[in-house]
Every structure is written in structure tokens, then in C-alpha cells.
Amino acid sequence: MVDLQPTVSRAVEHEAEKWGGVGVGATPTQAIPSPQQVIEGLRATSRGDDLIQILSPEGVLTPDPDYPIDVDAALLRGLYRDMVLVRRFDREGNALQRQGQLSIWVPLLGQEAAQIGAGRALRPSDMAFPSYREHGIAWCRGIDPTELLGIFRGTDHCGWDPVKTGFSGYAIVIGNQVLNATGYAMGQRLDGKVGSAADGENEATIAFFGDGATSQGDVHEAMVFAAAYDAPVVFYCQNNQWAISEPVARQSRVPLFHRARGYGFPGVRVDGNDVLACLAVTRWAMDECRSGNGPVLVEAFTYRMDAHTTSDDPTRYRQADEAQAWKLLDPIERVKVHLARSGMADSSFFDEVDGEADALAVRFRAHCIAMQVPPPERMFSHVYSEPNAQLDRQQAEFLTYLAAFDDIPVAGAR
Amino acid sequence: MVDLQPTVSRAVEHEAEKWGGVGVGATPTQAIPSPQQVIEGLRATSRGDDLIQILSPEGVLTPDPDYPIDVDAALLRGLYRDMVLVRRFDREGNALQRQGQLSIWVPLLGQEAAQIGAGRALRPSDMAFPSYREHGIAWCRGIDPTELLGIFRGTDHCGWDPVKTGFSGYAIVIGNQVLNATGYAMGQRLDGKVGSAADGENEATIAFFGDGATSQGDVHEAMVFAAAYDAPVVFYCQNNQWAISEPVARQSRVPLFHRARGYGFPGVRVDGNDVLACLAVTRWAMDECRSGNGPVLVEAFTYRMDAHTTSDDPTRYRQADEAQAWKLLDPIERVKVHLARSGMADSSFFDEVDGEADALAVRFRAHCIAMQVPPPERMFSHVYSEPNAQLDRQQAEFLTYLAAFDDIPVAGAR
Amino acid sequence: MNQTNGVAQAANPTTLAKALNMGLRASMEADPKVLVMGEDVGKLGGVFRVTDGLQKDFGEHRVLDTPLAESGIIGTAVGLAMRGYRPVTEIQFDGFVFPGFDQIVSQVAKLTFRTQGAVRMPLVIRIPYGGGIGAVEHHAEAPESYFCHIAGLRVVTCSNASDAYFMIQQAISCDDPVVFFEPKRRYWEKAPLDVATAPGGMFSSVVRRPGTDVTVVSYGPSMPVLYAAADAAAVEGKSLELIDLRSLSPLDLGPVLESVRKTGRLVVVTEAPREASVSSEIAARVTEEAFYSLAAPVLRVAGFDVPYPPSKLEEYYLPDLDKVLDAVDRSLAF
Amino acid sequence: MNQTNGVAQAANPTTLAKALNMGLRASMEADPKVLVMGEDVGKLGGVFRVTDGLQKDFGEHRVLDTPLAESGIIGTAVGLAMRGYRPVTEIQFDGFVFPGFDQIVSQVAKLTFRTQGAVRMPLVIRIPYGGGIGAVEHHAEAPESYFCHIAGLRVVTCSNASDAYFMIQQAISCDDPVVFFEPKRRYWEKAPLDVATAPGGMFSSVVRRPGTDVTVVSYGPSMPVLYAAADAAAVEGKSLELIDLRSLSPLDLGPVLESVRKTGRLVVVTEAPREASVSSEIAARVTEEAFYSLAAPVLRVAGFDVPYPPSKLEEYYLPDLDKVLDAVDRSLAF
Ligand SMILES: Cc1ncc(C[n+]2csc(CCOP(=O)(O)OP(=O)(O)O)c2C)c(N)n1
Ligand SMILES: Cc1ncc(C[n+]2csc(CCOP(=O)(O)OP(=O)(O)O)c2C)c(N)n1
Ligand SMILES: [Mg+2]
Ligand SMILES: [Mg+2]
């Protein structure tokens, strides 16, 4: 595997163990190596040996006894199909933005395995709280990709029903949804949906957030509350190495999954470009939660292959060769290689999936372009669940005012 | 020593190591011991073997090679005197509240060693950010105890100059001062006051907060920022076992000093009732920071012997025998025993200190009772550093209005 | 009026704090989905004892002592509400709500709108507020104006035991998020409470005393100040009409406008700082809607635009009898 | 006017964003204690490029890319200010300031008062604000009213390149904390910038266009709307006097009152939601102080009391030419 970041020397790491991973010895003013060097080295937050991997970038499958998973053709073909389709509509989202059909698109390119692996580990009765890049999770929750478009075209803030789909609305204020997820999981426990002998009755929640989000107070408080109430919540951090222009080293000296050590619950790091490992680890983590051993922190070590959003220009802050190196670790390629090499799939399957992807893209695009601007009264609807005379009056006055412009086509006249 | 809380069994702790301290194995749905039991056990956050102690409750002195300290009579007598005097005015604060001279008092009883040890480790050029219970730190920073009274009598919000004294104002919104301390420490580093060959030039900052405060997002963000900028800040958590009525187990499954592991900097637990250990460990921690190895987390394991404040009624939530058990660990008694037994001090010394304490109490009380209510214009002063016409006008109007009541004694007429 | 089902009910003098406690208890009994959560709300019963005995009777799973983190309290309550619970969160003092402000602005207030009604937010945020208790910094603030500015929230406050008992239950059964302000310095004041006779919906303002010369409106902790002022004014032959707003968002200005059309003069009394506040809003709106009825501009007796002062100065800071009478006189002199 | 030291200065057309960048640079050059800190302010130069090139020229110790946490940014800036620095913090978008709200309310705004002047807070919080850029949720808010309600803060906003350049420098050299709102949808609009001619202090409001019939006041992003409205009104023979407030706290109402004494009519225009807001305050205060001059109540064209809508609806939400003209007509019809 390509080693993308400097690895801390074994010696330093050993010395570091005393502090749970950081290499500052107990003796003050100790001179060699310089604290600066030690800290810089540790900052690298390299992938490290702890990475759980089942399917290597070269397509070689090595089971991990701690995270057992039955791999058959149906499973792997399904995961492959998921990833290809998700990537396809993601690319179409980018294109639609370039063509002025969307104000913005948030690409997931490179994170397909991290998302499909996690998404396919969920049961219908589980609950998921996404951030804003989780199109792959949405896909697994049965949300049609076209339902995502309203957010990026500006016609709605959430095109699906969080309760019915088990998929909360996209959350844009970094980190605050993680507390909501924890609360939801506390509710699952209160409802007796944890630790039941009938495993089918059990439920868990998964919260998605990025490497940057780990710095937010809300994410900490979520971990504190989850630990305090044994909440069945999986904290699923997609470490895609960047928070817009800031590398993960800006957020932490040590690997992010170490955070769990401070709270006393399990934390693991999985190869986020290995869909099988992501699936196996998330299944394990969700099972831990369902059976009462929650919470669990999972760090999916992956890479944001594209810009932060279509508004971003990554050439200003990172080298092209970094992305090139990660390309060799592509989450889809390794599955394709394994499927082909093992004979689980042949070219007709790949062609079929490609065809399906093209059809999805066409449908996605057509839907987008045909989307209607909602009427102005939409602005006042569902601000409250119960009537609010003050707001009703604002609405009535505004609609009366608007009516005076009757002759002019309303949208666009302002 | 009295073992106050159940200790986690060694076996469980070993199993737990994998997760940095929590005992939930990697195998899902593992049955024995029940997750509930494991978690409950770990929750106990018992004192554990990690406690750094130099002077035992029985007054036996055992040097710790990692935290060397030269103990002589002058040092120990000084620390003893500090603690006795601080305890004396603290008790007087309680009494003054009971007699209606203060609206509230926040007792430090039981935490004298944790504070005097830390306070005496500071240099004049260091900076300290207290919470609201740090009367012992104030004492060490050269703030006269009478300067604390305004806050509790309601005549001011801060009776000293934070910049000149190196002691920030009391902070009441739990945890938010810890970020301010980190920022101040970032400034020390920017000023080149860290890692200089001339150690006398170096500076560090210490932030005080409680066990409850560790749950606040701001404390997390402070640790994230401090780690990111190698800020020379000691996070000094006085774990006095209670956040008003909530035991520390409500905030964390694992000992609080483990939090440092998640951020990659040193975290240690010291016997907070051992003034020598607190002094040695804080000196070490401050030196680490001054020489560039910051931040450092210190958990001083102690006990709030009195109520949370004079408004609180601890009989509602904790057993009297808990306080009784801790009484055997009294921070002052063990020093007295050692002084006496080692011949470093005799009864004339103890009498002298008691006399000094009585005099302090008398002065403290007299000062309190004589304190004047500030004039009404104080309400408008220093809201801004530069003139503000809008507020000046509010003040002028109000003073004109007040003047109409000239015949009535102003304070009390409203 | 004090009769229900033909049975006469005693209107027992009850403290406001006890009435809240009774109201919480009634809601918890009526609906198992009602939870109480906050710092020290369990064994201690809250620092003001408003939740006294609830954990003992309903258990730790219904009354949660939480870790010390306000964003955590409100943020997890949001998730519990999504799950079908009706969490009643307690913020220990007014000055401690701000660490939870983002959750309130960005999640609590927006979720229903964001999801076009798919997610409801039946969440109550109880906040003891206001000064006059001789407390240290951050324990005597009147932050209601911030919340009135947040679309998607409802903001109410009670001024007596009867309202406390009924309004807290109404807040809990409301499907929208309600910030429920409790006048902490009135917690121990007793008033008749007839649990059989509800005083009407929590979103309506109420004329507490009819009068003819000047309308004075306020809410929560300042209502007793208004009563005293009206008594004093009456001695001087001035008749004040007193209105208790009860709901700060939405404002029920109907009774206020009706009153102003009669008196032509309005004084708004509040502890909240003046600038960009709920008192500004009342003044602006009443002027817009009753412009020709006003014989004088709406005058405000409000907190000064300063941080809350040390408590020995709070008597200068707070609206009091003299300040209200002064404003009444200024209004009449216009 | 465009002359200094006898040298004619070109008033170059400059974008508002570039002017801010130049102003920041000038402050950093003048005072080594000035720091810039925030998310992505370094290599990226901020998502709006306002800090472009500063890290390259002043180094990582003067321009800090911070961890992703707003309370952390503001809370550490407080400590840096105590240490003698003058931190200029950037909040990436208006909707992201709320996680830092407690630090602003409880520390930034209160520290000087708490310590009776011993601690000064020369801290700037830059916030790009307002809608009209087709953005997703939380990226188009106008939260200025919250900050106007916080005693101890100063709140200013610029509406053109010249003000941007000078006001940011004035904010940085102010010893009090300043929340500096930047009208993000005007970042790319060009206006003449003469760096040699300062437009006056940032706390004074300015009459942008004299007029006689109706006074219209606003600030920041809505000023161009006012110019267009005045042009359109002029065609219909109505003369609007336009005032740019610039400072929202303290409000400099002198020019407004003077104008209202002349016109008798006032319309306040703002994107901020209406309820308990800065527009309420202006309406309330002007009415108090110019009661007899007003021929009509102060009318407000403000954001609706709803969460900011999806961007395809924002043209309905935002004040625009028609809404301003409608309010002007309603005022004149009173
Ligand atoms: C509270 C808050 N602050 C700032 C932003 C602006 N912002 C949007 S995404 C982002 C970076 C997030 O990085 P990360 O958590 O790693 O997630 P990723 O985008 O890489 O998936 C920032 C700073 C925001 N949305 N919310
Ligand atoms: C943000 C905030 N929330 C709540 C409170 C009320 N409160 C004051 S002290 C306290 C407990 C603090 O416990 P801890 O941090 O352990 O410090 P200790 O008082 O034990 O020294 C609480 C909840 C507060 N001051 N600030
Ligand atoms: Mg990222
Ligand atoms: Mg404590």
C-alpha cells in the first residue's frame, strides 16, 4: 500500500505509550528528540498498523477474525453496484452545478466505501444522522437520489421524512447533529430496544461526521452523554483527511479513534476505502450498541478525492500528487478486481451496472431540471406545528401584497 | 488508605486495556461479565493505582522519582501555614454568609492541598485562570482574601486586576474560562516565552476547573486548541467527586485524567489531598509547558468536604459517612503530623499559625462588614473602554431621575 | 368559576415553585413520554426544588440528572423528541443557557420547518430568570429577548402559581418547542391555585386590572411591581390598566391594543435590557397598529444596556415602583 | 478631498472583499499584535478570500488556521486579547456563530465590566452575513439583532469598499470588542476606494442621499436596494432621504432624527427577522424621540419571522425595491 504520510518511528511510539499515544516523556526538559520533533511526528496521524482492512487495494481478501463477515457474490456485487451508482449520481451532481442547475453540490467522491459499508450495515429499524455529504447513506436508507436535489437546488431544506426513512435531515452546522443522534439513541434505550434477547427487536443509531467536526464541543458532549447513558450510538467519523483546506493534523495530534480512550468506550480505525471492512466493522459496532455495549467510535480512514464542495478550489491548499496516491486506493476498483479475479462477476455484470448508472444519471438530471420553485407561502409553512396567529398574519399580509403584482410572473419579479 | 469507591478488578481492567481503559471486548454480544456490570464497574472511577502521592494520610513521606521535590522545613511549614490560613478565612466566609453579611460563599474545605500545592508551583510571571472556588490559588497569587469578598457580598464582580496579579477573574459559567486560558497560553508561546534556554524567561498558564466541567464542550475545545498549538497550559482539574449533587460517575466512565489520551498529551492523577504531590506534579507540569511540552492535564483527586455553596444542602444527595471517610485523608492533618513527627515544627509554630489565622479571620470579617455599597453610576462604568454616547445618555437620564429622590437615602429607597 | 363537575375546589395558596412541581407531576402522570432532564434535577430536585420528588416517584429513566453541559442537554433532548418523547429540560440559571444556544437556534427552532412538518419538536426549555435575589454574576439575567427573535420557538412566562401550574402543562403538551421562563424571585410567593380551573391558553395575554388612564404591560417577575404601582397611582387618582403578556412570542397584542385605544398611553415594563429587545418590539408594533390612538410614545422601563451589575446595585437596575410611576407620569405629561 | 500631502490619490474601483483584505493588511502592518484567526483563513485565504495572502506574508503565527470550533476560536481569542494581542476572528458564515455565543455573551462582552476596566477586549469578530447568494441552510442569516442586544459589544457593518477598508481598521484599533458584519452578497461589488481619505468614524451614521418626503434607513447589504428604490421613487416624484446606519450598536440616531423631523416619515429596511430586533429598536427609539414629528408610524421592511427559506424563495424573503417602495407608499398614505 502507498504510505501517504510519514509514520511515527516505533521507538517514539513506544515512549509515547505512557500518555496513551503521545510521546512526551515524564521527565521535564528532556532534550532528545526535541519536543517539537516528537509532536510534529506524532501529528502526522498516519494510517498506522491499527487499520482494519479486509479487502486490500489490490483486491486481495483477508478475513479479520474480530470482524467476521460472510462474503459471497451477491453481497459483493451488491456493494459494487451501490458504489458505482452512488458515484455516478455524485458526478452528475457536480456536472449539474457546473451547468447552473444546482447552486452547489457536495461531492462524496472517494468516500463510497466508507458510506456504502456503513449504510449496508444498518437495519430498517436503525436510525442514522448524517452530516451533508452522506449521499451514499441516503442511498442505503432507500432515499431516492433525486430527493437530495432540493437542498442543492434551493427548493427545500430536506426532501425526505426523517422519521419514516430512518435518516435525519442533512445537518450543516458542523457537529451539532451528533448530539441529536445521541439523544435519539437514549430514546431507543428508554424504549427497551437495547439488549433484548430477541435481537431483531434491538435498535441502534449511527451518527456521521467528519474529521474536522471532532473539534466541536458538541461532538465531545455527545460522547460524554452517550457514555453516561450507555446510548446505543455508533460515532462514525469519516476522516477524509481534510476539513475544507485544513488537514486533519490541525484537529488532532493523534489518530482520531483514540478519542474514545478518553471516554472509556471502544474506538477503532477502519480502512474507509475498503467497503467490506467498513461493513464488517459497522455491523460489529451496531451489534455492540444493540446488545448494550454502546457507544462505539469508528474512524473510517478515507480521502476526499474531489473539492470540499463545488465552490471550493483545492489547488490552493493541497498537492495534486496526494490525490493521485489515493487514487491507487480507490474503493470501487478493488472490489471490481476481486469480483473479476474471483469469477464472482464478469463483464456483462459490470456493463449492466454501468448501464444502470447511466440510466440513473439521466433520471437524476431530468428530475433536477424539471424541479419547480415552491410557491411563496411555502416560506411560512410548518414554521410551527400548531397555529401561530402572529405569523399567519405576516403571511396573509405578504400574500396580499404579492397579489398586487398579479400581472407580472411572480417568481422573478422581485 | 480508605478505599472510598469500588475498584475495578484487575482482570477486567486488563481486558479493558484494548480500548484505552474500558472493558468492552471486540467480540460482539460477549456474555460474561455483562456489559452492564463491566460498565458499572468501570464507572466507579476509583482512585486506582495511578495516584501520585508523596505524603501519605498518615504523614509518611515517600519521594516519587518522576516528580522530584526538595522537602525542607521552610517549605513544609510554609505550605502548612498557607493551608491553615486559607481554611480559616474560608470558614469565616461560611460564617459571614450565615450571619447575612454575604449573599453566598463557595467553600473550598477539603481542597486546600489541591490549591496550595498548585498555587505554590506558579511563578509570578505565570498566569492562572480560576473557576469560582479557587480562594487558595488567589492566596498564592498574592490576592488578599478581603479582595474576594466583593463577589460574594455583591459589591463587585472581581476585586482584583487579572493582568497585574496573574490571576483572572472568577469564572462562573462552567468551563468557558478554560478556553480563555488556552488562548492566553497561545499568546505566551507567540511572545517567545516558551522553550527558551534561559528558563527564567519561560512562562506557562494554568486553568482550573472541576470534575463536572469536563463535560462542557468548551473544555474539550480548549484541549483541542492547546494540542494544536502546543500551548503551554496546564489543565488542572480538581476532581472533588461532586458537581453539586451529581457524582463524578455521571460525567465519565473512566478516570478523568484519561481524557488526555484522546488528545495525545500527558495526563496524570495526583492525590489532591497531598500538598507535596500537588506541588511536585504541578511544578513538573508547568515546567513541561514552559519548556515546550505542553499542554498537560492534571487531575487532582480530592473531595468537597462542605456543601457546594452555602445555598446547597448536601444531605439530600450524599451520605455523611462519605465525608467522614474523607476526613481521614485531611490535607492539613497529614502535614501537621509530618512536621511534628519529623521535628520540623513544634507546638509554638502551630500556635503561631493559629494565631495568625485568627487575626486573619478577624480582619476578614471586619473588612467584610465595613464594605460600602458602590454608587449607582458604578453600574454604567467600564461597560466599554471607549466612550459610548448611547450608554452615557442612559446613565445621565438615570442619575437625573435618581437625583429627584435626593431627600431619601438613595440606596434602599428603590 | 371555582367549580368543576359540580364539586367546589379549594383555591389553595401555593408557591409558584410548588405549582410548577405539581404541573410537571401532572404532565408526567398523564403521558409516559414526558421526561425531565437537567443538572441536579434528580435527587436534589433542582437547585430551586421545582423537580422535587419527581425522580423518586417516576424513576431515573424519566428524570435524568445529566452531565454538566447545556448543549448536551438540549441537543440530546432534540433527539429524544424526534424519538417521540416530550423532554422538559431545565437550565439551572438564565446565564447558563448560552452554551446551548446553537442547538436552540439551529436545531430546536428549525427542525420542523426544515422537514416541512415531518419532525415535531415538543420540547420545553425551562429557564429560571431575572434578578432581585442577591446572586452572583450570570444568575440574574433576563435573556428572553434573544429567544423572541428566534423564529420557530415559542416563548412564554408565568407570573403566579395558577399560571405556573397550567402553563407548564400546556407547554409540555404543545407540539412546538417552548422556552418557558420562570420568574425565580417569585418562586416562593404564594397565590391561590385552583387545579380545576384553567386560566386559559398560554398564548393569550390577560388584563389583570382594568383602568382608564395609562396602560402598563409586563410579564413574569415584574407583575407584582405593576400591582404595587397601580395601588400607589390610585392613591394619586390615576387609574392604570395592567396587562400580563404571558406569551412573549407570539405576542398577543389584542388586549394591549384594545387598552391603548382606550387610554392612549402605554408603558412597557421589563427587566430585560432595552436595546433590540422584546420591549422594543412591543413599542414598535403597538405604535404601528395604534398610531392614531397614542397620545404619547410608548415608554419603556427596562433593564439598562449594561451587563447585570453586582447584586448590591440591582435595586437600581431593576424596574421598581418608582420607575413605573415615573414613566406613567412622563406618559401622562406628554 | 481626494488629496493627501498634496498628492492626488486615485479612487480606484475596488471590491468590498478586496478592500477588507487591504484594511486587514494595513492593520497587520501597523501593529504586530494584530492576529487573524479562523477556519481556512490561512492558505485558502478564507472561503471568500478576504484574508487572501495574509498568511503567506505575515506567517502562520500571525494568521492562524484554527481547529473547527467557533467557541474555541472566540474563547482563545479572548485569552490572546488578555495577553495583549488584537485578534481578528473570522466566523465562516453567519449561521455558524452560535456555537460561540456563550463566549461572546459571557466573556467577550462582560470582561471589561467585570474587571472594571482592568481587562480590555480589543477583539474583532468578522461575520459575513445576509442572503441573496443562493446558498444552503445556515449560510444566509442576518443575526445582527442578537448582538445588538448584548451590552458590552459594539456592532458595525459596512456597505461599500471605502467603509470596508476603513471601518475594519477602526474596529481593530478599537479597545472594545466589535462584531463586524460583512455583507457577503456585496463582496464582489466594486466602489471607489481612496485609501487616503477616511470616511469618518465607524460609529456614525451617514446620510447617503438627501431627500424630503420619506426617510429610509438601512445598512450593509440592503443599501444598494435603497439606492435603487430612491431612483425609482424619484421617477414618481417622491424624494427619499437615505441613511446608512453603519453602526448598529451603539445606534447613531442623530442624523435619523434630524431627517425624520424634516420628512415626518421613516421606513427601516433590514434582512434581519422583525421580531425583537434592531429594526424594532430603531422604530421604538425614533418614536420616543420624535413623536410629534412623525406623520406616520415607523414602518419596517424586514425579514419574516421564519427560518431562512430555501434559496429559491429568498427573493420573497429579502427586502427588495418593490417592498421598499410599497412601504414608502404606505407611509405616505398614512
Ligand atoms: C459550525 C460550523 N462552522 C463552520 C462551518 C463551515 N464548514 C463547512 S464544512 C467545513 C469543514 C468540515 O470538515 P469535516 O468535518 O472534516 O467534514 P468534511 O467536509 O471533510 O466531510 C466547514 C469548516 C460549518 N458548516 N459549521
Ligand atoms: C454553564 C453552567 N451550567 C450550570 C452551572 C451551575 N453550576 C454551578 S457549579 C456547578 C457544578 C460544578 O461542578 P464541578 O465542575 O465539579 O466544580 P465544583 O463546583 O465541584 O468545584 C453547576 C452545575 C454553571 N455555573 N454554569
Ligand atoms: Mg473532512
Ligand atoms: Mg466538582
Side-chain angles (χ1 to χ4, degrees), chain A residues 111 132-133 210-213 238-244 246 304 308:
Chain A
Q111 298 177 223
Y132 43 77
R133 202 185 292 282
D211 43 294
Q238 287 172 81
N239 174 0
N240 63 6
Q241 313 303 325
W242 292 92
I244 308 187
E246 301 193 14
R304 198 195 78 211
H308 171 69

Short mmCIF file of all heavy atoms in Angstrom, two decimals, chain A residues 111 132-133 210-213 238-244 246 304 308, ligand 3:
data_model
loop_
_atom_site.label_atom_id
_atom_site.label_comp_id
_atom_site.label_asym_id
_atom_site.label_seq_id
_atom_site.Cartn_x
_atom_site.Cartn_y
_atom_site.Cartn_z
N GLN A 111 -15.33 8.49 -1.02
CA GLN A 111 -15.88 8.02 0.25
C GLN A 111 -17.01 7.00 0.05
O GLN A 111 -17.78 6.74 0.97
CB GLN A 111 -16.35 9.23 1.09
CG GLN A 111 -15.19 10.17 1.42
CD GLN A 111 -15.58 11.42 2.19
OE1 GLN A 111 -15.11 12.50 1.88
NE2 GLN A 111 -16.43 11.30 3.20
N TYR A 132 -23.65 16.32 5.77
CA TYR A 132 -24.18 16.85 4.50
C TYR A 132 -23.59 16.16 3.27
O TYR A 132 -23.87 16.53 2.15
CB TYR A 132 -23.88 18.35 4.41
CG TYR A 132 -22.47 18.63 4.86
CD1 TYR A 132 -21.38 18.35 4.03
CD2 TYR A 132 -22.21 19.06 6.16
CE1 TYR A 132 -20.09 18.53 4.47
CE2 TYR A 132 -20.91 19.25 6.61
CZ TYR A 132 -19.86 18.98 5.76
OH TYR A 132 -18.58 19.14 6.21
N ARG A 133 -22.70 15.19 3.52
CA ARG A 133 -22.01 14.56 2.39
C ARG A 133 -22.45 13.10 2.25
O ARG A 133 -21.88 12.35 1.45
CB ARG A 133 -20.49 14.63 2.66
CG ARG A 133 -19.60 14.53 1.44
CD ARG A 133 -18.12 14.48 1.84
NE ARG A 133 -17.62 15.71 2.41
CZ ARG A 133 -17.29 16.80 1.73
NH1 ARG A 133 -17.41 16.81 0.41
NH2 ARG A 133 -16.85 17.88 2.34
N GLY A 210 -17.38 14.47 10.23
CA GLY A 210 -16.06 14.47 9.60
C GLY A 210 -14.93 14.62 10.59
O GLY A 210 -15.14 14.76 11.80
N ASP A 211 -13.72 14.59 10.07
CA ASP A 211 -12.55 14.76 10.92
C ASP A 211 -12.55 16.16 11.55
O ASP A 211 -12.22 16.33 12.72
CB ASP A 211 -11.27 14.54 10.11
CG ASP A 211 -11.31 15.20 8.75
OD1 ASP A 211 -12.14 14.79 7.91
OD2 ASP A 211 -10.54 16.16 8.52
N GLY A 212 -12.94 17.14 10.78
CA GLY A 212 -12.97 18.50 11.32
C GLY A 212 -13.96 18.62 12.47
O GLY A 212 -13.71 19.28 13.48
N ALA A 213 -15.08 17.94 12.33
CA ALA A 213 -16.14 18.02 13.34
C ALA A 213 -15.69 17.55 14.71
O ALA A 213 -16.25 17.95 15.73
CB ALA A 213 -17.36 17.21 12.88
N GLN A 238 -15.96 9.95 9.37
CA GLN A 238 -15.25 9.79 8.10
C GLN A 238 -14.08 10.76 8.08
O GLN A 238 -14.26 11.94 7.82
CB GLN A 238 -16.18 10.06 6.92
CG GLN A 238 -17.19 8.95 6.69
CD GLN A 238 -18.23 9.33 5.65
OE1 GLN A 238 -17.99 9.25 4.46
NE2 GLN A 238 -19.39 9.77 6.11
N ASN A 239 -12.92 10.23 8.37
CA ASN A 239 -11.71 11.05 8.30
C ASN A 239 -11.25 11.05 6.85
O ASN A 239 -10.56 10.14 6.40
CB ASN A 239 -10.64 10.47 9.22
CG ASN A 239 -9.32 11.21 9.08
OD1 ASN A 239 -9.21 12.16 8.29
ND2 ASN A 239 -8.32 10.79 9.83
N ASN A 240 -11.67 12.10 6.14
CA ASN A 240 -11.28 12.21 4.72
C ASN A 240 -10.06 13.11 4.58
O ASN A 240 -9.81 13.67 3.53
CB ASN A 240 -12.47 12.67 3.87
CG ASN A 240 -12.94 14.06 4.25
OD1 ASN A 240 -12.32 14.74 5.07
ND2 ASN A 240 -14.03 14.50 3.65
N GLN A 241 -9.34 13.27 5.67
CA GLN A 241 -8.05 13.96 5.74
C GLN A 241 -8.15 15.48 5.69
O GLN A 241 -7.19 16.17 6.02
CB GLN A 241 -7.07 13.48 4.63
CG GLN A 241 -6.99 11.97 4.48
CD GLN A 241 -6.60 11.26 5.77
OE1 GLN A 241 -5.81 11.79 6.54
NE2 GLN A 241 -7.17 10.08 6.00
N TRP A 242 -9.28 16.01 5.29
CA TRP A 242 -9.38 17.45 5.12
C TRP A 242 -10.68 18.00 5.68
O TRP A 242 -11.73 17.38 5.55
CB TRP A 242 -9.28 17.84 3.63
CG TRP A 242 -7.91 17.57 3.08
CD1 TRP A 242 -7.50 16.41 2.46
CD2 TRP A 242 -6.77 18.44 3.14
NE1 TRP A 242 -6.17 16.52 2.14
CE2 TRP A 242 -5.70 17.75 2.53
CE3 TRP A 242 -6.56 19.72 3.66
CZ2 TRP A 242 -4.42 18.32 2.43
CZ3 TRP A 242 -5.29 20.29 3.54
CH2 TRP A 242 -4.24 19.58 2.94
N ALA A 243 -10.61 19.14 6.30
CA ALA A 243 -11.77 19.96 6.63
C ALA A 243 -11.61 21.23 5.79
O ALA A 243 -10.84 22.12 6.15
CB ALA A 243 -11.80 20.29 8.11
N ILE A 244 -12.28 21.25 4.67
CA ILE A 244 -12.01 22.24 3.62
C ILE A 244 -10.50 22.28 3.39
O ILE A 244 -9.96 21.29 2.90
CB ILE A 244 -12.63 23.63 3.94
CG1 ILE A 244 -14.14 23.47 4.29
CG2 ILE A 244 -12.52 24.54 2.71
CD1 ILE A 244 -14.90 24.80 4.47
N GLU A 246 -8.09 22.56 5.71
CA GLU A 246 -7.24 22.22 6.85
C GLU A 246 -7.03 20.71 6.97
O GLU A 246 -8.00 19.95 7.05
CB GLU A 246 -7.85 22.78 8.14
CG GLU A 246 -8.02 24.30 8.07
CD GLU A 246 -8.33 24.94 9.42
OE1 GLU A 246 -8.16 24.26 10.45
OE2 GLU A 246 -8.73 26.11 9.42
N ARG A 304 -11.03 12.59 0.71
CA ARG A 304 -11.94 13.41 -0.12
C ARG A 304 -11.25 13.64 -1.45
O ARG A 304 -10.36 14.47 -1.55
CB ARG A 304 -12.19 14.73 0.61
CG ARG A 304 -13.40 15.51 0.14
CD ARG A 304 -13.35 16.95 0.65
NE ARG A 304 -12.42 17.73 -0.15
CZ ARG A 304 -11.71 18.76 0.30
NH1 ARG A 304 -11.81 19.15 1.54
NH2 ARG A 304 -10.89 19.41 -0.51
N HIS A 308 -13.94 20.29 -1.64
CA HIS A 308 -14.85 20.24 -0.50
C HIS A 308 -16.30 20.35 -0.97
O HIS A 308 -17.16 19.56 -0.58
CB HIS A 308 -14.52 21.38 0.47
CG HIS A 308 -15.52 21.54 1.56
ND1 HIS A 308 -15.67 20.61 2.56
CD2 HIS A 308 -16.44 22.50 1.81
CE1 HIS A 308 -16.65 21.00 3.38
NE2 HIS A 308 -17.12 22.14 2.93
MG MG E 3 -13.05 16.01 6.49
#
